[in-house]
Amino acid sequence: DAMVIQNPRYQVTQFGKPVTLSCSQTLNHNVMYWYQQKSSQAPKLLFHYYDKDFNNEADTPDNFQSRRPNTSFCFLDIRSPGLGDAAMYLCATSRAREGYNEQFFGPGTRLTVL
Amino acid sequence: AQSVAQPEDQVNVAEGNPLTVKCTYSVSGNPYLFWYVQYPNRGLQFLLKYITGDNLVKGSYGFEAEFNKSQTSFHLKKPSALVSDSALYFCAAPFDSWGKLQFGAGTQVVVTP
């Protein structure tokens, strides 16, 4: 089945130690999104890629970076995780950027910062 | 500004009873509206969407939603709730032409046996 895969599902890191979360998709979608979700709140968009075009949200901290080496893969890098970065990180895809396209979400990576 | 609102933090319903999760919107032009469900420790799953046409939209797992332009609402409904429907439900709408989603705060649905 076509799907969005996130690895790992659970990630534990230490304060200040860089961490990378990965997302892959078999849907061949043009758009990939990264969201941060804290304790049953609404997901907060960090950035998205439209093909190779990177689009950062204005309030996304510089501590968060992303890479999309090809259509299938996208990575979220947290350069120096703080305690406040502990959250669920969700990757999503959509076929195109028009507003009527639904997004398909991966299962998420739960990040713990010690 | 375009937005969606979910007025209820939690909805409690007994299994077998009808389930309604409320959503109101403030969107200029013709709205696109979505419902997503999130089970514990999982990502969001798309349930259904309204683009245009029939005001009653049918989706996954027996859910449907009714678009009401006069009341600016898009309530999610299920005629007979199951315990397995217990989850967090989000209403959403794109807030720009690029399809970035504005989510409601979410409604926790608890279905008791």
PDB file of all heavy atoms in Angstrom, chain A residues 9 35 37 40-42 45 55 57 90 97 99-100 102-103 105-107 110, chain B residues 32 34 36 38 41-44 46 49 88 90 94 97-101 104:
ATOM      1  N   ARG A   9      10.048   5.658  15.333  1.00  0.00           N
ATOM      2  CA  ARG A   9       8.770   6.033  15.929  1.00  0.00           C
ATOM      3  C   ARG A   9       8.987   6.749  17.258  1.00  0.00           C
ATOM      4  O   ARG A   9       8.201   7.620  17.641  1.00  0.00           O
ATOM      5  CB  ARG A   9       7.909   4.784  16.162  1.00  0.00           C
ATOM      6  CG  ARG A   9       7.438   4.106  14.870  1.00  0.00           C
ATOM      7  CD  ARG A   9       6.436   4.971  14.088  1.00  0.00           C
ATOM      8  NE  ARG A   9       5.449   5.580  14.946  1.00  0.00           N
ATOM      9  CZ  ARG A   9       4.370   4.964  15.400  1.00  0.00           C
ATOM     10  NH1 ARG A   9       4.143   3.704  15.080  1.00  0.00           N
ATOM     11  NH2 ARG A   9       3.516   5.597  16.182  1.00  0.00           N
ATOM     12  N   TYR A  35       5.308  18.835  10.690  1.00  0.00           N
ATOM     13  CA  TYR A  35       4.534  19.464  11.734  1.00  0.00           C
ATOM     14  C   TYR A  35       5.126  19.086  13.090  1.00  0.00           C
ATOM     15  O   TYR A  35       5.665  18.001  13.275  1.00  0.00           O
ATOM     16  CB  TYR A  35       3.085  18.964  11.731  1.00  0.00           C
ATOM     17  CG  TYR A  35       2.229  19.398  10.576  1.00  0.00           C
ATOM     18  CD1 TYR A  35       2.175  18.651   9.398  1.00  0.00           C
ATOM     19  CD2 TYR A  35       1.434  20.536  10.663  1.00  0.00           C
ATOM     20  CE1 TYR A  35       1.359  19.043   8.350  1.00  0.00           C
ATOM     21  CE2 TYR A  35       0.609  20.925   9.622  1.00  0.00           C
ATOM     22  CZ  TYR A  35       0.581  20.163   8.466  1.00  0.00           C
ATOM     23  OH  TYR A  35      -0.223  20.545   7.432  1.00  0.00           O
ATOM     24  N   GLN A  37       3.672  18.621  16.999  1.00  0.00           N
ATOM     25  CA  GLN A  37       2.432  18.535  17.760  1.00  0.00           C
ATOM     26  C   GLN A  37       2.759  18.250  19.220  1.00  0.00           C
ATOM     27  O   GLN A  37       3.432  17.264  19.530  1.00  0.00           O
ATOM     28  CB  GLN A  37       1.511  17.437  17.216  1.00  0.00           C
ATOM     29  CG  GLN A  37       0.152  17.395  17.900  1.00  0.00           C
ATOM     30  CD  GLN A  37      -0.728  16.277  17.400  1.00  0.00           C
ATOM     31  OE1 GLN A  37      -0.250  15.226  16.984  1.00  0.00           O
ATOM     32  NE2 GLN A  37      -2.040  16.485  17.422  1.00  0.00           N
ATOM     33  N   SER A  40      -1.642  16.631  22.401  1.00  0.00           N
ATOM     34  CA  SER A  40      -3.014  16.671  21.892  1.00  0.00           C
ATOM     35  C   SER A  40      -3.462  18.045  21.407  1.00  0.00           C
ATOM     36  O   SER A  40      -4.655  18.288  21.266  1.00  0.00           O
ATOM     37  CB  SER A  40      -3.995  16.144  22.941  1.00  0.00           C
ATOM     38  OG  SER A  40      -3.710  14.811  23.252  1.00  0.00           O
ATOM     39  N   GLN A  41      -2.510  18.926  21.161  1.00  0.00           N
ATOM     40  CA  GLN A  41      -2.852  20.200  20.539  1.00  0.00           C
ATOM     41  C   GLN A  41      -2.928  20.019  19.027  1.00  0.00           C
ATOM     42  O   GLN A  41      -2.566  18.976  18.492  1.00  0.00           O
ATOM     43  CB  GLN A  41      -1.799  21.253  20.883  1.00  0.00           C
ATOM     44  CG  GLN A  41      -1.702  21.583  22.359  1.00  0.00           C
ATOM     45  CD  GLN A  41      -0.575  22.552  22.638  1.00  0.00           C
ATOM     46  OE1 GLN A  41      -0.070  23.224  21.734  1.00  0.00           O
ATOM     47  NE2 GLN A  41      -0.174  22.647  23.889  1.00  0.00           N
ATOM     48  N   ALA A  42      -3.367  21.035  18.344  1.00  0.00           N
ATOM     49  CA  ALA A  42      -3.374  20.987  16.889  1.00  0.00           C
ATOM     50  C   ALA A  42      -1.939  20.963  16.366  1.00  0.00           C
ATOM     51  O   ALA A  42      -1.040  21.581  16.957  1.00  0.00           O
ATOM     52  CB  ALA A  42      -4.107  22.197  16.329  1.00  0.00           C
ATOM     53  N   LEU A  45       2.565  23.723  11.762  1.00  0.00           N
ATOM     54  CA  LEU A  45       3.412  23.554  10.585  1.00  0.00           C
ATOM     55  C   LEU A  45       4.764  24.222  10.804  1.00  0.00           C
ATOM     56  O   LEU A  45       4.848  25.383  11.201  1.00  0.00           O
ATOM     57  CB  LEU A  45       2.727  24.166   9.356  1.00  0.00           C
ATOM     58  CG  LEU A  45       3.459  24.019   8.032  1.00  0.00           C
ATOM     59  CD1 LEU A  45       3.565  22.544   7.624  1.00  0.00           C
ATOM     60  CD2 LEU A  45       2.744  24.811   6.942  1.00  0.00           C
ATOM     61  N   ASN A  55       9.979  25.903   1.886  1.00  0.00           N
ATOM     62  CA  ASN A  55       9.179  27.011   2.395  1.00  0.00           C
ATOM     63  C   ASN A  55       9.115  26.935   3.916  1.00  0.00           C
ATOM     64  O   ASN A  55       8.493  26.032   4.470  1.00  0.00           O
ATOM     65  CB  ASN A  55       7.770  26.942   1.803  1.00  0.00           C
ATOM     66  CG  ASN A  55       7.784  27.090   0.304  1.00  0.00           C
ATOM     67  OD1 ASN A  55       7.721  28.184  -0.227  1.00  0.00           O
ATOM     68  ND2 ASN A  55       7.892  25.972  -0.399  1.00  0.00           N
ATOM     69  N   GLU A  57       8.102  28.333   7.672  1.00  0.00           N
ATOM     70  CA  GLU A  57       7.126  29.180   8.341  1.00  0.00           C
ATOM     71  C   GLU A  57       7.874  30.268   9.104  1.00  0.00           C
ATOM     72  O   GLU A  57       8.968  30.061   9.629  1.00  0.00           O
ATOM     73  CB  GLU A  57       6.270  28.374   9.292  1.00  0.00           C
ATOM     74  CG  GLU A  57       5.346  27.387   8.584  1.00  0.00           C
ATOM     75  CD  GLU A  57       4.422  28.061   7.601  1.00  0.00           C
ATOM     76  OE1 GLU A  57       3.597  28.885   8.022  1.00  0.00           O
ATOM     77  OE2 GLU A  57       4.548  27.772   6.390  1.00  0.00           O
ATOM     78  N   LEU A  90       5.267  15.161  13.015  1.00  0.00           N
ATOM     79  CA  LEU A  90       4.473  14.516  11.982  1.00  0.00           C
ATOM     80  C   LEU A  90       4.936  14.950  10.606  1.00  0.00           C
ATOM     81  O   LEU A  90       5.118  16.143  10.353  1.00  0.00           O
ATOM     82  CB  LEU A  90       2.998  14.877  12.148  1.00  0.00           C
ATOM     83  CG  LEU A  90       2.337  14.456  13.453  1.00  0.00           C
ATOM     84  CD1 LEU A  90       0.972  15.119  13.597  1.00  0.00           C
ATOM     85  CD2 LEU A  90       2.195  12.947  13.531  1.00  0.00           C
ATOM     86  N   ARG A  97      -0.166  21.489  -4.328  1.00  0.00           N
ATOM     87  CA  ARG A  97      -0.288  22.520  -3.307  1.00  0.00           C
ATOM     88  C   ARG A  97      -1.648  23.213  -3.300  1.00  0.00           C
ATOM     89  O   ARG A  97      -1.900  24.052  -2.482  1.00  0.00           O
ATOM     90  CB  ARG A  97       0.834  23.557  -3.506  1.00  0.00           C
ATOM     91  CG  ARG A  97       1.553  23.849  -2.228  1.00  0.00           C
ATOM     92  CD  ARG A  97       2.810  24.674  -2.362  1.00  0.00           C
ATOM     93  NE  ARG A  97       3.096  25.367  -3.565  1.00  0.00           N
ATOM     94  CZ  ARG A  97       4.191  26.084  -3.730  1.00  0.00           C
ATOM     95  NH1 ARG A  97       5.060  26.171  -2.753  1.00  0.00           N
ATOM     96  NH2 ARG A  97       4.433  26.703  -4.864  1.00  0.00           N
ATOM     97  N   GLY A  99      -5.431  23.968  -2.458  1.00  0.00           N
ATOM     98  CA  GLY A  99      -6.058  23.811  -1.159  1.00  0.00           C
ATOM     99  C   GLY A  99      -7.016  22.652  -1.034  1.00  0.00           C
ATOM    100  O   GLY A  99      -7.325  22.227   0.074  1.00  0.00           O
ATOM    101  N   TYR A 100      -7.488  22.118  -2.136  1.00  0.00           N
ATOM    102  CA  TYR A 100      -8.467  21.042  -2.050  1.00  0.00           C
ATOM    103  C   TYR A 100      -7.845  19.659  -1.908  1.00  0.00           C
ATOM    104  O   TYR A 100      -8.550  18.658  -1.812  1.00  0.00           O
ATOM    105  CB  TYR A 100      -9.399  21.060  -3.265  1.00  0.00           C
ATOM    106  CG  TYR A 100      -8.684  21.082  -4.594  1.00  0.00           C
ATOM    107  CD1 TYR A 100      -8.137  19.929  -5.133  1.00  0.00           C
ATOM    108  CD2 TYR A 100      -8.561  22.265  -5.309  1.00  0.00           C
ATOM    109  CE1 TYR A 100      -7.484  19.954  -6.342  1.00  0.00           C
ATOM    110  CE2 TYR A 100      -7.904  22.309  -6.531  1.00  0.00           C
ATOM    111  CZ  TYR A 100      -7.363  21.139  -7.045  1.00  0.00           C
ATOM    112  OH  TYR A 100      -6.721  21.170  -8.249  1.00  0.00           O
ATOM    113  N   GLU A 102      -6.157  16.748   0.063  1.00  0.00           N
ATOM    114  CA  GLU A 102      -5.964  16.311   1.434  1.00  0.00           C
ATOM    115  C   GLU A 102      -4.506  15.935   1.671  1.00  0.00           C
ATOM    116  O   GLU A 102      -3.764  15.639   0.737  1.00  0.00           O
ATOM    117  CB  GLU A 102      -6.881  15.120   1.763  1.00  0.00           C
ATOM    118  CG  GLU A 102      -6.637  13.877   0.937  1.00  0.00           C
ATOM    119  CD  GLU A 102      -7.514  13.843  -0.302  1.00  0.00           C
ATOM    120  OE1 GLU A 102      -7.829  14.921  -0.849  1.00  0.00           O
ATOM    121  OE2 GLU A 102      -7.848  12.722  -0.744  1.00  0.00           O
ATOM    122  N   GLN A 103      -4.138  15.954   2.929  1.00  0.00           N
ATOM    123  CA  GLN A 103      -2.787  15.562   3.304  1.00  0.00           C
ATOM    124  C   GLN A 103      -2.812  14.155   3.902  1.00  0.00           C
ATOM    125  O   GLN A 103      -3.758  13.766   4.574  1.00  0.00           O
ATOM    126  CB  GLN A 103      -2.209  16.564   4.308  1.00  0.00           C
ATOM    127  CG  GLN A 103      -2.022  17.947   3.705  1.00  0.00           C
ATOM    128  CD  GLN A 103      -1.377  18.922   4.646  1.00  0.00           C
ATOM    129  OE1 GLN A 103      -0.746  18.552   5.635  1.00  0.00           O
ATOM    130  NE2 GLN A 103      -1.511  20.219   4.350  1.00  0.00           N
ATOM    131  N   PHE A 105      -0.750  11.640   6.365  1.00  0.00           N
ATOM    132  CA  PHE A 105       0.196  11.746   7.462  1.00  0.00           C
ATOM    133  C   PHE A 105       0.885  10.414   7.747  1.00  0.00           C
ATOM    134  O   PHE A 105       0.282   9.341   7.625  1.00  0.00           O
ATOM    135  CB  PHE A 105      -0.519  12.200   8.735  1.00  0.00           C
ATOM    136  CG  PHE A 105      -0.885  13.660   8.736  1.00  0.00           C
ATOM    137  CD1 PHE A 105      -1.995  14.115   8.040  1.00  0.00           C
ATOM    138  CD2 PHE A 105      -0.111  14.570   9.429  1.00  0.00           C
ATOM    139  CE1 PHE A 105      -2.327  15.461   8.038  1.00  0.00           C
ATOM    140  CE2 PHE A 105      -0.438  15.919   9.442  1.00  0.00           C
ATOM    141  CZ  PHE A 105      -1.548  16.361   8.741  1.00  0.00           C
ATOM    142  N   GLY A 106       2.133  10.522   8.175  1.00  0.00           N
ATOM    143  CA  GLY A 106       2.826   9.374   8.721  1.00  0.00           C
ATOM    144  C   GLY A 106       2.409   9.155  10.166  1.00  0.00           C
ATOM    145  O   GLY A 106       1.659   9.955  10.734  1.00  0.00           O
ATOM    146  N   PRO A 107       2.919   8.076  10.782  1.00  0.00           N
ATOM    147  CA  PRO A 107       2.529   7.755  12.158  1.00  0.00           C
ATOM    148  C   PRO A 107       3.161   8.651  13.212  1.00  0.00           C
ATOM    149  O   PRO A 107       2.748   8.627  14.362  1.00  0.00           O
ATOM    150  CB  PRO A 107       2.996   6.309  12.322  1.00  0.00           C
ATOM    151  CG  PRO A 107       4.141   6.196  11.378  1.00  0.00           C
ATOM    152  CD  PRO A 107       3.799   7.053  10.207  1.00  0.00           C
ATOM    153  N   ARG A 110       7.855  10.381  18.107  1.00  0.00           N
ATOM    154  CA  ARG A 110       7.759  11.054  19.408  1.00  0.00           C
ATOM    155  C   ARG A 110       9.172  11.297  19.916  1.00  0.00           C
ATOM    156  O   ARG A 110       9.918  10.344  20.154  1.00  0.00           O
ATOM    157  CB  ARG A 110       6.956  10.234  20.399  1.00  0.00           C
ATOM    158  CG  ARG A 110       6.789  10.957  21.738  1.00  0.00           C
ATOM    159  CD  ARG A 110       5.750  10.325  22.626  1.00  0.00           C
ATOM    160  NE  ARG A 110       4.414  10.383  22.081  1.00  0.00           N
ATOM    161  CZ  ARG A 110       3.629  11.462  22.073  1.00  0.00           C
ATOM    162  NH1 ARG A 110       4.082  12.598  22.580  1.00  0.00           N
ATOM    163  NH2 ARG A 110       2.409  11.396  21.587  1.00  0.00           N
TER     164      ARG A 110
ATOM    165  N   TYR B  32     -12.836  25.141   1.354  1.00  0.00           N
ATOM    166  CA  TYR B  32     -12.470  23.740   1.360  1.00  0.00           C
ATOM    167  C   TYR B  32     -12.349  23.351   2.830  1.00  0.00           C
ATOM    168  O   TYR B  32     -11.657  24.024   3.588  1.00  0.00           O
ATOM    169  CB  TYR B  32     -11.134  23.495   0.658  1.00  0.00           C
ATOM    170  CG  TYR B  32     -11.089  23.950  -0.785  1.00  0.00           C
ATOM    171  CD1 TYR B  32      -9.978  24.624  -1.281  1.00  0.00           C
ATOM    172  CD2 TYR B  32     -12.134  23.695  -1.652  1.00  0.00           C
ATOM    173  CE1 TYR B  32      -9.912  25.031  -2.600  1.00  0.00           C
ATOM    174  CE2 TYR B  32     -12.085  24.105  -2.979  1.00  0.00           C
ATOM    175  CZ  TYR B  32     -10.969  24.784  -3.443  1.00  0.00           C
ATOM    176  OH  TYR B  32     -10.912  25.185  -4.755  1.00  0.00           O
ATOM    177  N   PHE B  34     -11.985  20.096   5.802  1.00  0.00           N
ATOM    178  CA  PHE B  34     -11.502  18.736   6.006  1.00  0.00           C
ATOM    179  C   PHE B  34     -11.784  18.279   7.433  1.00  0.00           C
ATOM    180  O   PHE B  34     -11.828  19.090   8.364  1.00  0.00           O
ATOM    181  CB  PHE B  34      -9.980  18.660   5.792  1.00  0.00           C
ATOM    182  CG  PHE B  34      -9.516  19.051   4.425  1.00  0.00           C
ATOM    183  CD1 PHE B  34      -9.329  20.376   4.087  1.00  0.00           C
ATOM    184  CD2 PHE B  34      -9.242  18.084   3.474  1.00  0.00           C
ATOM    185  CE1 PHE B  34      -8.899  20.748   2.816  1.00  0.00           C
ATOM    186  CE2 PHE B  34      -8.796  18.440   2.206  1.00  0.00           C
ATOM    187  CZ  PHE B  34      -8.627  19.764   1.880  1.00  0.00           C
ATOM    188  N   TYR B  36     -10.055  15.303  10.026  1.00  0.00           N
ATOM    189  CA  TYR B  36      -9.031  14.302  10.272  1.00  0.00           C
ATOM    190  C   TYR B  36      -9.275  13.684  11.644  1.00  0.00           C
ATOM    191  O   TYR B  36      -9.799  14.336  12.556  1.00  0.00           O
ATOM    192  CB  TYR B  36      -7.631  14.926  10.268  1.00  0.00           C
ATOM    193  CG  TYR B  36      -7.151  15.384   8.907  1.00  0.00           C
ATOM    194  CD1 TYR B  36      -7.496  16.638   8.414  1.00  0.00           C
ATOM    195  CD2 TYR B  36      -6.349  14.563   8.128  1.00  0.00           C
ATOM    196  CE1 TYR B  36      -7.045  17.062   7.172  1.00  0.00           C
ATOM    197  CE2 TYR B  36      -5.893  14.978   6.887  1.00  0.00           C
ATOM    198  CZ  TYR B  36      -6.248  16.232   6.421  1.00  0.00           C
ATOM    199  OH  TYR B  36      -5.800  16.642   5.185  1.00  0.00           O
ATOM    200  N   GLN B  38      -7.271  11.394  14.809  1.00  0.00           N
ATOM    201  CA  GLN B  38      -5.974  10.963  15.325  1.00  0.00           C
ATOM    202  C   GLN B  38      -6.180  10.002  16.491  1.00  0.00           C
ATOM    203  O   GLN B  38      -6.727  10.380  17.531  1.00  0.00           O
ATOM    204  CB  GLN B  38      -5.142  12.162  15.778  1.00  0.00           C
ATOM    205  CG  GLN B  38      -3.721  11.789  16.185  1.00  0.00           C
ATOM    206  CD  GLN B  38      -2.876  13.003  16.530  1.00  0.00           C
ATOM    207  OE1 GLN B  38      -3.373  14.030  16.969  1.00  0.00           O
ATOM    208  NE2 GLN B  38      -1.564  12.892  16.314  1.00  0.00           N
ATOM    209  N   ASN B  41      -1.062   8.171  19.854  1.00  0.00           N
ATOM    210  CA  ASN B  41       0.303   7.906  19.375  1.00  0.00           C
ATOM    211  C   ASN B  41       0.356   7.563  17.891  1.00  0.00           C
ATOM    212  O   ASN B  41       1.201   6.765  17.463  1.00  0.00           O
ATOM    213  CB  ASN B  41       0.966   6.793  20.195  1.00  0.00           C
ATOM    214  CG  ASN B  41       1.309   7.274  21.591  1.00  0.00           C
ATOM    215  OD1 ASN B  41       1.869   8.354  21.765  1.00  0.00           O
ATOM    216  ND2 ASN B  41       0.941   6.493  22.583  1.00  0.00           N
ATOM    217  N   ARG B  42      -0.540   8.148  17.126  1.00  0.00           N
ATOM    218  CA  ARG B  42      -0.556   7.938  15.679  1.00  0.00           C
ATOM    219  C   ARG B  42      -0.629   9.286  14.971  1.00  0.00           C
ATOM    220  O   ARG B  42      -0.920  10.315  15.572  1.00  0.00           O
ATOM    221  CB  ARG B  42      -1.769   7.093  15.272  1.00  0.00           C
ATOM    222  CG  ARG B  42      -1.861   5.747  15.945  1.00  0.00           C
ATOM    223  CD  ARG B  42      -0.758   4.816  15.503  1.00  0.00           C
ATOM    224  NE  ARG B  42      -0.837   4.508  14.082  1.00  0.00           N
ATOM    225  CZ  ARG B  42       0.030   3.729  13.439  1.00  0.00           C
ATOM    226  NH1 ARG B  42       1.038   3.195  14.103  1.00  0.00           N
ATOM    227  NH2 ARG B  42      -0.110   3.494  12.149  1.00  0.00           N
ATOM    228  N   GLY B  43      -0.358   9.244  13.686  1.00  0.00           N
ATOM    229  CA  GLY B  43      -0.552  10.449  12.884  1.00  0.00           C
ATOM    230  C   GLY B  43      -2.020  10.678  12.594  1.00  0.00           C
ATOM    231  O   GLY B  43      -2.881   9.902  12.982  1.00  0.00           O
ATOM    232  N   LEU B  44      -2.290  11.788  11.915  1.00  0.00           N
ATOM    233  CA  LEU B  44      -3.666  12.101  11.551  1.00  0.00           C
ATOM    234  C   LEU B  44      -4.086  11.275  10.334  1.00  0.00           C
ATOM    235  O   LEU B  44      -3.290  11.022   9.437  1.00  0.00           O
ATOM    236  CB  LEU B  44      -3.809  13.586  11.213  1.00  0.00           C
ATOM    237  CG  LEU B  44      -3.962  14.556  12.391  1.00  0.00           C
ATOM    238  CD1 LEU B  44      -2.690  14.619  13.224  1.00  0.00           C
ATOM    239  CD2 LEU B  44      -4.343  15.943  11.880  1.00  0.00           C
ATOM    240  N   PHE B  46      -6.969  11.142   7.280  1.00  0.00           N
ATOM    241  CA  PHE B  46      -7.990  11.880   6.550  1.00  0.00           C
ATOM    242  C   PHE B  46      -9.307  11.120   6.593  1.00  0.00           C
ATOM    243  O   PHE B  46      -9.356   9.920   6.334  1.00  0.00           O
ATOM    244  CB  PHE B  46      -7.532  12.065   5.106  1.00  0.00           C
ATOM    245  CG  PHE B  46      -8.585  12.561   4.169  1.00  0.00           C
ATOM    246  CD1 PHE B  46      -9.008  13.871   4.220  1.00  0.00           C
ATOM    247  CD2 PHE B  46      -9.148  11.710   3.234  1.00  0.00           C
ATOM    248  CE1 PHE B  46      -9.979  14.321   3.340  1.00  0.00           C
ATOM    249  CE2 PHE B  46     -10.110  12.156   2.355  1.00  0.00           C
ATOM    250  CZ  PHE B  46     -10.537  13.465   2.406  1.00  0.00           C
ATOM    251  N   LYS B  49     -13.691  15.357   3.052  1.00  0.00           N
ATOM    252  CA  LYS B  49     -13.507  16.763   2.719  1.00  0.00           C
ATOM    253  C   LYS B  49     -14.705  17.285   1.949  1.00  0.00           C
ATOM    254  O   LYS B  49     -15.411  16.518   1.276  1.00  0.00           O
ATOM    255  CB  LYS B  49     -12.232  16.969   1.896  1.00  0.00           C
ATOM    256  CG  LYS B  49     -12.259  16.339   0.510  1.00  0.00           C
ATOM    257  CD  LYS B  49     -10.942  16.595  -0.229  1.00  0.00           C
ATOM    258  CE  LYS B  49     -10.920  15.917  -1.599  1.00  0.00           C
ATOM    259  NZ  LYS B  49      -9.615  16.120  -2.305  1.00  0.00           N
ATOM    260  N   LEU B  88      -9.074  11.669  18.794  1.00  0.00           N
ATOM    261  CA  LEU B  88      -9.033  13.133  18.710  1.00  0.00           C
ATOM    262  C   LEU B  88      -9.378  13.529  17.280  1.00  0.00           C
ATOM    263  O   LEU B  88      -8.792  13.004  16.331  1.00  0.00           O
ATOM    264  CB  LEU B  88      -7.630  13.617  19.083  1.00  0.00           C
ATOM    265  CG  LEU B  88      -7.359  15.106  19.197  1.00  0.00           C
ATOM    266  CD1 LEU B  88      -8.270  15.768  20.212  1.00  0.00           C
ATOM    267  CD2 LEU B  88      -5.895  15.321  19.586  1.00  0.00           C
ATOM    268  N   PHE B  90      -9.960  16.507  14.335  1.00  0.00           N
ATOM    269  CA  PHE B  90      -9.589  17.863  13.931  1.00  0.00           C
ATOM    270  C   PHE B  90     -10.345  18.264  12.675  1.00  0.00           C
ATOM    271  O   PHE B  90     -10.368  17.540  11.682  1.00  0.00           O
ATOM    272  CB  PHE B  90      -8.091  17.956  13.626  1.00  0.00           C
ATOM    273  CG  PHE B  90      -7.197  17.845  14.824  1.00  0.00           C
ATOM    274  CD1 PHE B  90      -6.548  16.654  15.100  1.00  0.00           C
ATOM    275  CD2 PHE B  90      -6.991  18.926  15.661  1.00  0.00           C
ATOM    276  CE1 PHE B  90      -5.709  16.539  16.204  1.00  0.00           C
ATOM    277  CE2 PHE B  90      -6.150  18.834  16.760  1.00  0.00           C
ATOM    278  CZ  PHE B  90      -5.517  17.634  17.029  1.00  0.00           C
ATOM    279  N   PRO B  94      -7.694  25.088   4.461  1.00  0.00           N
ATOM    280  CA  PRO B  94      -6.472  25.730   3.984  1.00  0.00           C
ATOM    281  C   PRO B  94      -6.562  27.234   4.203  1.00  0.00           C
ATOM    282  O   PRO B  94      -7.617  27.843   3.973  1.00  0.00           O
ATOM    283  CB  PRO B  94      -6.443  25.383   2.493  1.00  0.00           C
ATOM    284  CG  PRO B  94      -7.840  25.060   2.141  1.00  0.00           C
ATOM    285  CD  PRO B  94      -8.505  24.543   3.362  1.00  0.00           C
ATOM    286  N   SER B  97      -3.369  29.873  -0.545  1.00  0.00           N
ATOM    287  CA  SER B  97      -3.572  29.205  -1.831  1.00  0.00           C
ATOM    288  C   SER B  97      -2.643  28.017  -2.010  1.00  0.00           C
ATOM    289  O   SER B  97      -2.797  27.232  -2.935  1.00  0.00           O
ATOM    290  CB  SER B  97      -3.376  30.190  -2.978  1.00  0.00           C
ATOM    291  OG  SER B  97      -2.069  30.733  -2.934  1.00  0.00           O
ATOM    292  N   TRP B  98      -1.686  27.892  -1.108  1.00  0.00           N
ATOM    293  CA  TRP B  98      -0.747  26.773  -1.204  1.00  0.00           C
ATOM    294  C   TRP B  98      -1.221  25.546  -0.436  1.00  0.00           C
ATOM    295  O   TRP B  98      -0.499  24.572  -0.325  1.00  0.00           O
ATOM    296  CB  TRP B  98       0.624  27.205  -0.690  1.00  0.00           C
ATOM    297  CG  TRP B  98       1.314  28.166  -1.578  1.00  0.00           C
ATOM    298  CD1 TRP B  98       0.823  28.752  -2.707  1.00  0.00           C
ATOM    299  CD2 TRP B  98       2.630  28.661  -1.428  1.00  0.00           C
ATOM    300  NE1 TRP B  98       1.759  29.595  -3.254  1.00  0.00           N
ATOM    301  CE2 TRP B  98       2.882  29.550  -2.503  1.00  0.00           C
ATOM    302  CE3 TRP B  98       3.647  28.448  -0.491  1.00  0.00           C
ATOM    303  CZ2 TRP B  98       4.093  30.223  -2.646  1.00  0.00           C
ATOM    304  CZ3 TRP B  98       4.849  29.110  -0.637  1.00  0.00           C
ATOM    305  CH2 TRP B  98       5.064  29.985  -1.709  1.00  0.00           C
ATOM    306  N   GLY B  99      -2.393  25.617   0.146  1.00  0.00           N
ATOM    307  CA  GLY B  99      -2.930  24.433   0.802  1.00  0.00           C
ATOM    308  C   GLY B  99      -2.445  24.200   2.211  1.00  0.00           C
ATOM    309  O   GLY B  99      -2.704  23.142   2.784  1.00  0.00           O
ATOM    310  N   LYS B 100      -1.750  25.167   2.811  1.00  0.00           N
ATOM    311  CA  LYS B 100      -1.344  24.991   4.204  1.00  0.00           C
ATOM    312  C   LYS B 100      -2.593  25.014   5.077  1.00  0.00           C
ATOM    313  O   LYS B 100      -3.466  25.856   4.912  1.00  0.00           O
ATOM    314  CB  LYS B 100      -0.384  26.100   4.607  1.00  0.00           C
ATOM    315  CG  LYS B 100       0.960  26.001   3.901  1.00  0.00           C
ATOM    316  CD  LYS B 100       1.979  26.963   4.459  1.00  0.00           C
ATOM    317  CE  LYS B 100       1.635  28.389   4.138  1.00  0.00           C
ATOM    318  NZ  LYS B 100       2.697  29.315   4.595  1.00  0.00           N
ATOM    319  N   LEU B 101      -2.659  24.075   5.998  1.00  0.00           N
ATOM    320  CA  LEU B 101      -3.883  23.868   6.758  1.00  0.00           C
ATOM    321  C   LEU B 101      -3.910  24.652   8.062  1.00  0.00           C
ATOM    322  O   LEU B 101      -2.925  24.715   8.795  1.00  0.00           O
ATOM    323  CB  LEU B 101      -4.053  22.386   7.076  1.00  0.00           C
ATOM    324  CG  LEU B 101      -4.453  21.483   5.922  1.00  0.00           C
ATOM    325  CD1 LEU B 101      -4.496  20.033   6.379  1.00  0.00           C
ATOM    326  CD2 LEU B 101      -5.791  21.885   5.323  1.00  0.00           C
ATOM    327  N   GLY B 104      -8.490  23.248  13.625  1.00  0.00           N
ATOM    328  CA  GLY B 104      -9.177  23.583  14.848  1.00  0.00           C
ATOM    329  C   GLY B 104      -8.401  23.030  16.027  1.00  0.00           C
ATOM    330  O   GLY B 104      -7.416  22.305  15.859  1.00  0.00           O
TER     331      GLY B 104
END
